[in-house]
PDB file of all heavy atoms in Angstrom:
ATOM      1  N   PHE A1056       0.813  -1.187   0.036  1.00  0.00           N
ATOM      2  CA  PHE A1056      -0.008   0.000  -0.019  1.00  0.00           C
ATOM      3  C   PHE A1056       0.861   1.265   0.016  1.00  0.00           C
ATOM      4  O   PHE A1056       1.992   1.253   0.516  1.00  0.00           O
ATOM      5  CB  PHE A1056      -0.927   0.034   1.236  1.00  0.00           C
ATOM      6  CG  PHE A1056      -2.021  -1.023   1.164  1.00  0.00           C
ATOM      7  CD1 PHE A1056      -1.765  -2.328   1.560  1.00  0.00           C
ATOM      8  CD2 PHE A1056      -3.266  -0.732   0.674  1.00  0.00           C
ATOM      9  CE1 PHE A1056      -2.740  -3.310   1.490  1.00  0.00           C
ATOM     10  CE2 PHE A1056      -4.278  -1.644   0.596  1.00  0.00           C
ATOM     11  CZ  PHE A1056      -4.015  -2.916   1.008  1.00  0.00           C
ATOM     12  N   GLN A1057       0.300   2.351  -0.552  1.00  0.00           N
ATOM     13  CA  GLN A1057       1.010   3.584  -0.610  1.00  0.00           C
ATOM     14  C   GLN A1057       1.297   4.094   0.787  1.00  0.00           C
ATOM     15  O   GLN A1057       2.401   4.565   1.122  1.00  0.00           O
ATOM     16  CB  GLN A1057       0.139   4.661  -1.336  1.00  0.00           C
ATOM     17  CG  GLN A1057       0.828   6.012  -1.486  1.00  0.00           C
ATOM     18  CD  GLN A1057      -0.020   6.974  -2.276  1.00  0.00           C
ATOM     19  OE1 GLN A1057      -1.058   6.582  -2.865  1.00  0.00           O
ATOM     20  NE2 GLN A1057       0.401   8.201  -2.391  1.00  0.00           N
ATOM     21  N   ASN A1058       0.294   3.985   1.710  1.00  0.00           N
ATOM     22  CA  ASN A1058       0.482   4.267   3.120  1.00  0.00           C
ATOM     23  C   ASN A1058       0.730   2.974   3.852  1.00  0.00           C
ATOM     24  O   ASN A1058      -0.142   2.067   3.775  1.00  0.00           O
ATOM     25  CB  ASN A1058      -0.720   5.010   3.664  1.00  0.00           C
ATOM     26  CG  ASN A1058      -0.995   6.356   2.974  1.00  0.00           C
ATOM     27  OD1 ASN A1058      -0.046   7.126   2.767  1.00  0.00           O
ATOM     28  ND2 ASN A1058      -2.239   6.600   2.577  1.00  0.00           N
ATOM     29  N   LEU A1059       1.798   2.845   4.533  1.00  0.00           N
ATOM     30  CA  LEU A1059       2.178   1.625   5.207  1.00  0.00           C
ATOM     31  C   LEU A1059       1.071   1.103   6.127  1.00  0.00           C
ATOM     32  O   LEU A1059       0.445   1.872   6.901  1.00  0.00           O
ATOM     33  CB  LEU A1059       3.468   1.832   6.037  1.00  0.00           C
ATOM     34  CG  LEU A1059       4.719   2.079   5.223  1.00  0.00           C
ATOM     35  CD1 LEU A1059       5.842   2.452   6.115  1.00  0.00           C
ATOM     36  CD2 LEU A1059       5.092   0.858   4.334  1.00  0.00           C
ATOM     37  N   ALA A1060       0.774  -0.194   6.042  1.00  0.00           N
ATOM     38  CA  ALA A1060      -0.260  -0.797   6.876  1.00  0.00           C
ATOM     39  C   ALA A1060       0.304  -1.903   7.700  1.00  0.00           C
ATOM     40  O   ALA A1060      -0.028  -3.050   7.623  1.00  0.00           O
ATOM     41  CB  ALA A1060      -1.389  -1.340   5.975  1.00  0.00           C
ATOM     42  N   LEU A1061       1.264  -1.487   8.570  1.00  0.00           N
ATOM     43  CA  LEU A1061       1.948  -2.438   9.461  1.00  0.00           C
ATOM     44  C   LEU A1061       1.489  -2.275  10.907  1.00  0.00           C
ATOM     45  O   LEU A1061       1.000  -1.228  11.285  1.00  0.00           O
ATOM     46  CB  LEU A1061       3.462  -2.235   9.385  1.00  0.00           C
ATOM     47  CG  LEU A1061       4.117  -2.454   8.020  1.00  0.00           C
ATOM     48  CD1 LEU A1061       5.573  -2.020   8.034  1.00  0.00           C
ATOM     49  CD2 LEU A1061       4.019  -3.911   7.598  1.00  0.00           C
ATOM     50  N   PHE A1062       1.666  -3.350  11.662  1.00  0.00           N
ATOM     51  CA  PHE A1062       1.316  -3.338  13.090  1.00  0.00           C
ATOM     52  C   PHE A1062       2.553  -2.824  13.863  1.00  0.00           C
ATOM     53  O   PHE A1062       3.538  -3.530  14.001  1.00  0.00           O
ATOM     54  CB  PHE A1062       0.895  -4.721  13.577  1.00  0.00           C
ATOM     55  CG  PHE A1062      -0.311  -5.228  12.886  1.00  0.00           C
ATOM     56  CD1 PHE A1062      -0.202  -6.095  11.824  1.00  0.00           C
ATOM     57  CD2 PHE A1062      -1.590  -4.794  13.299  1.00  0.00           C
ATOM     58  CE1 PHE A1062      -1.363  -6.542  11.182  1.00  0.00           C
ATOM     59  CE2 PHE A1062      -2.732  -5.278  12.678  1.00  0.00           C
ATOM     60  CZ  PHE A1062      -2.613  -6.166  11.593  1.00  0.00           C
ATOM     61  N   GLN A1063       2.486  -1.600  14.373  1.00  0.00           N
ATOM     62  CA  GLN A1063       3.643  -0.902  14.879  1.00  0.00           C
ATOM     63  C   GLN A1063       4.292  -1.556  16.103  1.00  0.00           C
ATOM     64  O   GLN A1063       5.481  -1.436  16.363  1.00  0.00           O
ATOM     65  CB  GLN A1063       3.306   0.560  15.196  1.00  0.00           C
ATOM     66  CG  GLN A1063       2.941   1.366  13.986  1.00  0.00           C
ATOM     67  CD  GLN A1063       4.092   1.487  13.024  1.00  0.00           C
ATOM     68  OE1 GLN A1063       5.251   1.863  13.412  1.00  0.00           O
ATOM     69  NE2 GLN A1063       3.870   1.236  11.755  1.00  0.00           N
ATOM     70  N   THR A1064       3.458  -2.211  16.939  1.00  0.00           N
ATOM     71  CA  THR A1064       3.981  -2.787  18.182  1.00  0.00           C
ATOM     72  C   THR A1064       4.435  -4.250  18.031  1.00  0.00           C
ATOM     73  O   THR A1064       4.924  -4.845  18.972  1.00  0.00           O
ATOM     74  CB  THR A1064       2.876  -2.722  19.297  1.00  0.00           C
ATOM     75  OG1 THR A1064       1.736  -3.471  18.851  1.00  0.00           O
ATOM     76  CG2 THR A1064       2.508  -1.273  19.559  1.00  0.00           C
ATOM     77  N   MET A1065       4.284  -4.794  16.841  1.00  0.00           N
ATOM     78  CA  MET A1065       4.695  -6.192  16.557  1.00  0.00           C
ATOM     79  C   MET A1065       6.071  -6.197  15.934  1.00  0.00           C
ATOM     80  O   MET A1065       6.565  -5.202  15.397  1.00  0.00           O
ATOM     81  CB  MET A1065       3.641  -6.844  15.656  1.00  0.00           C
ATOM     82  CG  MET A1065       2.313  -7.085  16.317  1.00  0.00           C
ATOM     83  SD  MET A1065       1.014  -7.612  15.170  1.00  0.00           S
ATOM     84  CE  MET A1065       1.743  -9.069  14.383  1.00  0.00           C
ATOM     85  N   THR A1066       6.726  -7.369  15.997  1.00  0.00           N
ATOM     86  CA  THR A1066       8.029  -7.490  15.377  1.00  0.00           C
ATOM     87  C   THR A1066       7.917  -7.638  13.851  1.00  0.00           C
ATOM     88  O   THR A1066       6.826  -7.832  13.303  1.00  0.00           O
ATOM     89  CB  THR A1066       8.766  -8.727  15.891  1.00  0.00           C
ATOM     90  OG1 THR A1066       8.059  -9.917  15.505  1.00  0.00           O
ATOM     91  CG2 THR A1066       8.840  -8.740  17.455  1.00  0.00           C
ATOM     92  N   VAL A1067       9.069  -7.497  13.221  1.00  0.00           N
ATOM     93  CA  VAL A1067       9.121  -7.652  11.763  1.00  0.00           C
ATOM     94  C   VAL A1067       8.619  -9.052  11.392  1.00  0.00           C
ATOM     95  O   VAL A1067       7.773  -9.235  10.504  1.00  0.00           O
ATOM     96  CB  VAL A1067      10.580  -7.481  11.270  1.00  0.00           C
ATOM     97  CG1 VAL A1067      10.728  -7.936   9.842  1.00  0.00           C
ATOM     98  CG2 VAL A1067      10.989  -6.001  11.423  1.00  0.00           C
ATOM     99  N   LEU A1068       9.091 -10.094  12.067  1.00  0.00           N
ATOM    100  CA  LEU A1068       8.691 -11.451  11.761  1.00  0.00           C
ATOM    101  C   LEU A1068       7.175 -11.638  11.909  1.00  0.00           C
ATOM    102  O   LEU A1068       6.509 -12.202  11.057  1.00  0.00           O
ATOM    103  CB  LEU A1068       9.396 -12.437  12.666  1.00  0.00           C
ATOM    104  CG  LEU A1068       9.051 -13.930  12.480  1.00  0.00           C
ATOM    105  CD1 LEU A1068       9.333 -14.400  11.100  1.00  0.00           C
ATOM    106  CD2 LEU A1068       9.778 -14.778  13.531  1.00  0.00           C
ATOM    107  N   ASP A1069       6.605 -11.130  12.989  1.00  0.00           N
ATOM    108  CA  ASP A1069       5.178 -11.292  13.231  1.00  0.00           C
ATOM    109  C   ASP A1069       4.375 -10.576  12.165  1.00  0.00           C
ATOM    110  O   ASP A1069       3.323 -11.018  11.740  1.00  0.00           O
ATOM    111  CB  ASP A1069       4.800 -10.840  14.645  1.00  0.00           C
ATOM    112  CG  ASP A1069       5.286 -11.793  15.708  1.00  0.00           C
ATOM    113  OD1 ASP A1069       5.573 -12.978  15.380  1.00  0.00           O
ATOM    114  OD2 ASP A1069       5.429 -11.363  16.867  1.00  0.00           O
ATOM    115  N   ASN A1070       4.820  -9.365  11.780  1.00  0.00           N
ATOM    116  CA  ASN A1070       4.128  -8.653  10.750  1.00  0.00           C
ATOM    117  C   ASN A1070       4.127  -9.409   9.426  1.00  0.00           C
ATOM    118  O   ASN A1070       3.111  -9.447   8.734  1.00  0.00           O
ATOM    119  CB  ASN A1070       4.806  -7.234  10.509  1.00  0.00           C
ATOM    120  CG  ASN A1070       4.148  -6.138  11.297  1.00  0.00           C
ATOM    121  OD1 ASN A1070       3.111  -5.600  10.873  1.00  0.00           O
ATOM    122  ND2 ASN A1070       4.730  -5.792  12.406  1.00  0.00           N
ATOM    123  N   VAL A1071       5.231 -10.004   9.108  1.00  0.00           N
ATOM    124  CA  VAL A1071       5.321 -10.770   7.876  1.00  0.00           C
ATOM    125  C   VAL A1071       4.437 -12.014   7.936  1.00  0.00           C
ATOM    126  O   VAL A1071       3.730 -12.355   6.961  1.00  0.00           O
ATOM    127  CB  VAL A1071       6.786 -11.158   7.557  1.00  0.00           C
ATOM    128  CG1 VAL A1071       6.857 -12.098   6.383  1.00  0.00           C
ATOM    129  CG2 VAL A1071       7.601  -9.906   7.316  1.00  0.00           C
ATOM    130  N   MET A1072       4.388 -12.687   9.067  1.00  0.00           N
ATOM    131  CA  MET A1072       3.587 -13.877   9.185  1.00  0.00           C
ATOM    132  C   MET A1072       2.117 -13.592   9.068  1.00  0.00           C
ATOM    133  O   MET A1072       1.345 -14.466   8.633  1.00  0.00           O
ATOM    134  CB  MET A1072       3.887 -14.573  10.521  1.00  0.00           C
ATOM    135  CG  MET A1072       5.247 -15.210  10.563  1.00  0.00           C
ATOM    136  SD  MET A1072       5.613 -16.068  12.137  1.00  0.00           S
ATOM    137  CE  MET A1072       4.338 -17.384  12.126  1.00  0.00           C
ATOM    138  N   VAL A1073       1.687 -12.406   9.422  1.00  0.00           N
ATOM    139  CA  VAL A1073       0.277 -12.013   9.250  1.00  0.00           C
ATOM    140  C   VAL A1073      -0.128 -12.197   7.796  1.00  0.00           C
ATOM    141  O   VAL A1073      -1.273 -12.616   7.466  1.00  0.00           O
ATOM    142  CB  VAL A1073       0.066 -10.553   9.687  1.00  0.00           C
ATOM    143  CG1 VAL A1073      -1.292 -10.068   9.225  1.00  0.00           C
ATOM    144  CG2 VAL A1073       0.129 -10.464  11.189  1.00  0.00           C
ATOM    145  N   GLY A1074       0.798 -11.900   6.876  1.00  0.00           N
ATOM    146  CA  GLY A1074       0.498 -12.042   5.444  1.00  0.00           C
ATOM    147  C   GLY A1074       0.227 -13.448   5.042  1.00  0.00           C
ATOM    148  O   GLY A1074      -0.468 -13.676   4.027  1.00  0.00           O
ATOM    149  N   GLY A1075       0.778 -14.430   5.731  1.00  0.00           N
ATOM    150  CA  GLY A1075       0.637 -15.803   5.327  1.00  0.00           C
ATOM    151  C   GLY A1075      -0.624 -16.456   5.902  1.00  0.00           C
ATOM    152  O   GLY A1075      -1.039 -17.531   5.424  1.00  0.00           O
ATOM    153  N   HIS A1076      -1.243 -15.876   6.913  1.00  0.00           N
ATOM    154  CA  HIS A1076      -2.402 -16.501   7.525  1.00  0.00           C
ATOM    155  C   HIS A1076      -3.618 -16.570   6.607  1.00  0.00           C
ATOM    156  O   HIS A1076      -4.477 -17.388   6.773  1.00  0.00           O
ATOM    157  CB  HIS A1076      -2.772 -15.824   8.821  1.00  0.00           C
ATOM    158  CG  HIS A1076      -1.828 -16.130   9.959  1.00  0.00           C
ATOM    159  ND1 HIS A1076      -1.066 -15.213  10.595  1.00  0.00           N
ATOM    160  CD2 HIS A1076      -1.565 -17.332  10.561  1.00  0.00           C
ATOM    161  CE1 HIS A1076      -0.362 -15.786  11.559  1.00  0.00           C
ATOM    162  NE2 HIS A1076      -0.635 -17.078  11.547  1.00  0.00           N
ATOM    163  N   SER A1077      -3.636 -15.721   5.587  1.00  0.00           N
ATOM    164  CA  SER A1077      -4.735 -15.750   4.641  1.00  0.00           C
ATOM    165  C   SER A1077      -4.677 -17.001   3.740  1.00  0.00           C
ATOM    166  O   SER A1077      -5.662 -17.359   3.131  1.00  0.00           O
ATOM    167  CB  SER A1077      -4.716 -14.470   3.732  1.00  0.00           C
ATOM    168  OG  SER A1077      -3.524 -14.459   2.988  1.00  0.00           O
ATOM    169  N   ARG A1078      -3.527 -17.655   3.728  1.00  0.00           N
ATOM    170  CA  ARG A1078      -3.384 -18.862   2.893  1.00  0.00           C
ATOM    171  C   ARG A1078      -3.405 -20.160   3.722  1.00  0.00           C
ATOM    172  O   ARG A1078      -3.199 -21.219   3.139  1.00  0.00           O
ATOM    173  CB  ARG A1078      -2.077 -18.797   2.112  1.00  0.00           C
ATOM    174  CG  ARG A1078      -1.960 -17.613   1.142  1.00  0.00           C
ATOM    175  CD  ARG A1078      -2.830 -17.790  -0.103  1.00  0.00           C
ATOM    176  NE  ARG A1078      -2.517 -18.934  -0.854  1.00  0.00           N
ATOM    177  CZ  ARG A1078      -1.645 -18.866  -1.861  1.00  0.00           C
ATOM    178  NH1 ARG A1078      -1.049 -17.723  -2.156  1.00  0.00           N
ATOM    179  NH2 ARG A1078      -1.375 -19.926  -2.586  1.00  0.00           N
ATOM    180  N   THR A1079      -3.590 -20.045   5.040  1.00  0.00           N
ATOM    181  CA  THR A1079      -3.536 -21.247   5.870  1.00  0.00           C
ATOM    182  C   THR A1079      -4.899 -21.939   5.918  1.00  0.00           C
ATOM    183  O   THR A1079      -5.943 -21.288   5.623  1.00  0.00           O
ATOM    184  CB  THR A1079      -3.127 -20.924   7.317  1.00  0.00           C
ATOM    185  OG1 THR A1079      -4.012 -19.944   7.861  1.00  0.00           O
ATOM    186  CG2 THR A1079      -1.697 -20.377   7.334  1.00  0.00           C
ATOM    187  N   ALA A1080      -4.944 -23.206   6.264  1.00  0.00           N
ATOM    188  CA  ALA A1080      -6.183 -23.974   6.254  1.00  0.00           C
ATOM    189  C   ALA A1080      -6.882 -23.997   7.601  1.00  0.00           C
ATOM    190  O   ALA A1080      -8.058 -24.352   7.669  1.00  0.00           O
ATOM    191  CB  ALA A1080      -5.880 -25.394   5.811  1.00  0.00           C
ATOM    192  N   SER A1081      -6.207 -23.612   8.682  1.00  0.00           N
ATOM    193  CA  SER A1081      -6.810 -23.655  10.010  1.00  0.00           C
ATOM    194  C   SER A1081      -7.945 -22.647  10.125  1.00  0.00           C
ATOM    195  O   SER A1081      -7.954 -21.617   9.469  1.00  0.00           O
ATOM    196  CB  SER A1081      -5.748 -23.454  11.080  1.00  0.00           C
ATOM    197  OG  SER A1081      -5.127 -22.214  10.918  1.00  0.00           O
ATOM    198  N   ASP A1082      -8.889 -22.951  11.080  1.00  0.00           N
ATOM    199  CA  ASP A1082     -10.001 -22.038  11.279  1.00  0.00           C
ATOM    200  C   ASP A1082     -10.069 -21.717  12.782  1.00  0.00           C
ATOM    201  O   ASP A1082      -9.178 -22.081  13.578  1.00  0.00           O
ATOM    202  CB  ASP A1082     -11.331 -22.678  10.852  1.00  0.00           C
ATOM    203  CG  ASP A1082     -11.544 -24.046  11.435  1.00  0.00           C
ATOM    204  OD1 ASP A1082     -10.984 -24.356  12.469  1.00  0.00           O
ATOM    205  OD2 ASP A1082     -12.313 -24.824  10.838  1.00  0.00           O
ATOM    206  N   VAL A1083     -11.112 -20.981  13.178  1.00  0.00           N
ATOM    207  CA  VAL A1083     -11.222 -20.548  14.575  1.00  0.00           C
ATOM    208  C   VAL A1083     -11.283 -21.734  15.508  1.00  0.00           C
ATOM    209  O   VAL A1083     -10.656 -21.703  16.576  1.00  0.00           O
ATOM    210  CB  VAL A1083     -12.506 -19.682  14.736  1.00  0.00           C
ATOM    211  CG1 VAL A1083     -12.715 -19.297  16.179  1.00  0.00           C
ATOM    212  CG2 VAL A1083     -12.390 -18.385  13.907  1.00  0.00           C
TER     213      VAL A1083
END
């Protein structure tokens, strides 16, 4: 995004992992 959409209080690794959860098979 043009304006950064990161979680400021989370680590770099955790921010990146957020991107992968949309492709995981697990549910609530």
Side-chain angles (χ1 to χ4, degrees):
F1056 290 83
Q1057 182 177 354
N1058 298 314
L1059 293 171
L1061 298 171
F1062 298 98
Q1063 295 297 311
T1064 60
M1065 291 169 56
T1066 66
V1067 169
L1068 177 61
D1069 288 339
N1070 264 280
V1071 173
M1072 288 181 65
V1073 167
H1076 283 118
S1077 61
R1078 299 288 297 269
T1079 57
S1081 58
D1082 53 24
V1083 175

